[in-house]
Amino acid sequence: MTAAGRKRVLSGMRPTGRLHIGHYFGALENWVKLQNNQHEYECFFFIADWHALTSDYADTSQVAQNTIEIATDWLASGLDPAKCTMFIQSSVPEHAELHLLLSMITPLSWLERVPTYKEALDNIKDKDLHTYGFLGYPVLQTADIVMYGAEKELIVPVGEDQAVHVEVSREIVRRFNAFYGLSFNDKFIAYFQPDRDKSPVENSALLAFVNDITGHGEKLVPADRLDVISAVRTNALKMGPKNFLEKYDQREEYSSFREVLTEPQVLLTKTPRVPGMDGRKMSKSYGNFISLSESNESIRTKTRAMITDPARKRRTDPGNPDVCPVYDLHKLFSLPETLVWVDVGCRTAGIGCIECKTAMADNLIKWIEPVRARREEYAAHPDQVLRIIDEGSLKAREVAQKTMSRVREAVFNWKEKRAEIGAAYVERNAD
């Protein structure tokens, strides 16, 4: 596949501070695989600092530092600026402009029905989330994603539980394209020129087309042009532009459709279960995580306190590793022979939980040491980290500016208007 034919990949993270092993296995591991497949994918990964404001707008004092921390963890985890573009959301202001335009056409009811919006309002009581920024989160997210479509196949790597968010983006893009992707060819426009010498055949074809859609009748005059275009757009929006053009077979005659923005596709990724120290999903909000910069001593202290199979009340009680969070971590860090040792030893009470935890911690430490070492190297040179994401932001903005040039023209038709005014000026001066 040529560079031009590669699929674009877009994903990002909010700057919440240093990342943990749940972030690595939930996203970063897959991002590294995608960036390394240079033949098929062109990857853009961004730090969503504007998204951080949707819920944490009251205190932004740590956003800049957290951005550096996340970028440092990305580099330590294997993201390579030579193979992907890493950038800061707010350094590409075109995201805000596209967000504004998309917000104009997004029905309020679409945002209110997003499951995570309702859940957050019900569950988060220590923050005031009754703001447009929080409600409009999916619109900004859509702008972030589709900015990088540029008429290429655009994919978003997500787990099954996140696919619904991409579907909201797809709906918003379809609606935007229905409004601004439908254009009318010269033949249609020329029909409404008062000095146009139209043949009966042209009259018949256009009148049949317009009358079937609008019920306007068979007498059209130049003043009808905008009303007819509005009626055609309304009909196309109801049917969907592609269905509209297929039904009326008018692609070459009077109207055409172009996808101004590219509908994103979901790339479902399998993510392993990464339990926290208390058995729940590893999360900063639960305080049950092991960070990518965790010290060996801290890892051993945290893992010794991990929840295990509640059936093993005594050392001699057999257990079930399939319900034990420690075994889930073994699957991530231990070799196959160790997994067999744990499985058999747990079920037969041949090993105790302390032995099991110690072995898991040993293997976790072996895995994390090179990541931590790379992190320490980058952390010692924050200027280098900042330079990488600043350069990535410039590269991302080049793509974003091309997208917005296309979007602005589709929405406002300034090219057509400027040409019209220019032609009128030339005609006046020719006289």
Side-chain angles (χ1 to χ4, degrees):
M1 184 179 294
T2 64
R6 289 187 298 170
K7 301 173 185 176
R8 279 238 173 100
V9 176
L10 191 286
S11 195
M13 291 183 183
R14 287 165 51 128
T16 57
R18 295 190 179 193
L19 303 181
H20 54 66
I21 60 176
H23 291 115
Y24 179 85
F25 289 103
L28 290 173
E29 181 180 42
N30 188 53
W31 290 7
V32 172
K33 291 177 182 177
L34 290 169
Q35 72 154 20
N36 289 341
N37 188 351
Q38 292 280 287
H39 180 69
E40 189 169 358
Y41 299 114
E42 181 184 9
C43 297
F44 287 76
F45 302 121
F46 72 101
I47 300 170
D49 53 346
W50 276 333
H51 280 294
L53 305 185
T54 59
S55 58
D56 298 317
Y57 55 85
D59 182 7
T60 60
S61 59
Q62 295 302 310
V63 172
Q65 181 59 38
N66 287 346
T67 296
I68 298 297
E69 297 289 358
I70 279 192
T72 302
D73 281 327
W74 284 5
L75 293 164
S77 297
L79 287 187
D80 184 347
K83 297 179 179 179
C84 69
T85 301
M86 293 177 276
F87 66 97
I88 304 171
Q89 181 188 33
S90 65
S91 293
V92 186
E94 286 76 12
H95 284 235
E97 183 183 2
L98 184 54
H99 169 228
L100 173 66
L101 294 175
L102 293 179
S103 72
M104 298 299 180
I105 59 94
T106 303
L108 193 61
S109 59
W110 289 13
L111 303 178
E112 292 173 331
R113 78 186 187 203
V114 174
T116 50
Y117 174 69
K118 297 176 182 177
E119 290 170 9
L121 290 183
D122 290 339
N123 298 324
I124 299 177
K125 302 301 182 183
D126 60 338
K127 299 176 182 177
D128 181 9
L129 300 181
H130 293 85
T131 64
Y132 167 71
F134 188 73
L135 176 64
Y137 186 103
V139 184
L140 179 56
Q141 187 175 62
T142 300
D144 297 330
I145 296 170
V146 302
M147 185 69 76
Y148 299 92
E151 300 180 340
K152 291 189 175 187
E153 186 172 350
L154 178 63
I155 62 175
V156 183
V158 294
E160 289 186 13
D161 59 334
Q162 296 294 313
V164 63
H165 297 289
V166 181
E167 184 55 37
V168 172
S169 294
R170 287 167 58 83
E171 289 181 348
I172 293 173
V173 168
R174 290 188 201 113
R175 184 172 170 85
F176 184 89
N177 284 339
F179 280 120
Y180 306 117
L182 188 65
S183 61
F184 298 90
N185 298 337
D186 292 342
K187 191 173 182 180
F188 182 91
I189 302 300
Y191 180 89
F192 293 93
Q193 302 302 318
D195 57 348
R196 167 79 169 174
D197 181 21
K198 302 176 289 296
S199 71
V201 175
E202 283 184 316
N203 286 354
S204 175
L206 180 58
L207 288 172
F209 171 53
V210 172
N211 190 48
D212 187 26
I213 296 169
T214 68
H216 196 283
E218 293 195 357
K219 293 182 179 180
L220 294 175
V221 296
D224 293 327
R225 174 185 164 189
L226 294 181
D227 289 340
V228 170
I229 289 176
S230 177
V232 172
R233 287 191 188 281
T234 299
N235 191 277
L237 182 60
K238 290 178 180 177
M239 296 177 58
K242 291 181 180 178
N243 293 334
F244 167 79
L245 292 173
E246 288 175 4
K247 177 176 179 179
Y248 290 102
D249 193 24
Q250 298 296 329
R251 187 177 299 274
E252 299 298 329
E253 281 291 314
Y254 305 115
S255 57
S256 60
F257 176 72
R258 176 191 182 190
E259 288 189 341
V260 182
L261 296 174
T262 303
E263 283 188 37
Q265 305 297 320
V266 167
L267 178 63
L268 289 178
T269 57
K270 292 185 178 180
T271 56
R273 182 173 184 269
V274 185
M277 302 301 98
D278 57 1
R280 293 182 293 178
K281 179 181 178 180
M282 187 172 289
S283 170
K284 286 186 179 181
S285 60
Y286 296 151
N288 62 358
F289 62 91
I290 291 177
S291 71
L292 294 175
S293 55
E294 202 87 33
S295 68
N296 292 354
E297 181 182 359
S298 180
I299 289 173
R300 295 192 186 281
T301 299
K302 288 185 174 182
T303 55
R304 274 198 299 268
M306 278 191 72
I307 299 294
T308 58
D309 179 4
R312 296 204 71 180
K313 293 181 171 57
R314 292 178 293 274
R315 168 64 177 79
T316 55
D317 292 334
N320 179 6
D322 294 331
V323 299
C324 179
V326 178
Y327 188 61
D328 286 326
L329 293 183
H330 266 294
K331 293 176 185 177
L332 298 176
F333 304 112
S334 299
L335 296 174
E337 52 266 33
T338 303
L339 294 180
V340 173
W341 172 74
V342 172
D343 186 89
V344 174
C346 180
R347 295 181 192 279
T348 62
I351 62 172
C353 291
I354 297 298
E355 294 171 84
C356 179
K357 292 177 182 180
T358 300
M360 185 275 290
D362 289 342
N363 291 322
L364 193 164
I365 289 170
K366 288 179 184 177
W367 175 87
I368 209 170
E369 279 179 339
V371 177
R372 191 173 57 205
R374 288 194 297 270
R375 193 192 197 287
E376 290 172 353
E377 182 177 346
Y378 281 112
H381 303 282
D383 57 317
Q384 180 182 357
V385 175
L386 184 59
R387 185 177 70 253
I388 288 171
I389 53 179
D390 280 346
E391 290 175 354
S393 297
L394 291 174
K395 181 179 177 182
R397 193 170 186 198
E398 289 179 5
V399 177
Q401 287 174 333
K402 292 177 182 178
T403 298
M404 288 312 303
S405 177
R406 186 175 70 251
V407 168
R408 290 188 208 104
E409 184 57 33
V411 173
F412 298 111
N413 296 305
W414 272 112
K415 184 177 181 180
E416 178 184 330
K417 176 54 65 176
R418 291 180 189 280
E420 178 186 319
I421 293 174
Y425 173 80
V426 170
E427 184 177 348
R428 285 196 309 272
N429 283 273
D431 296 339

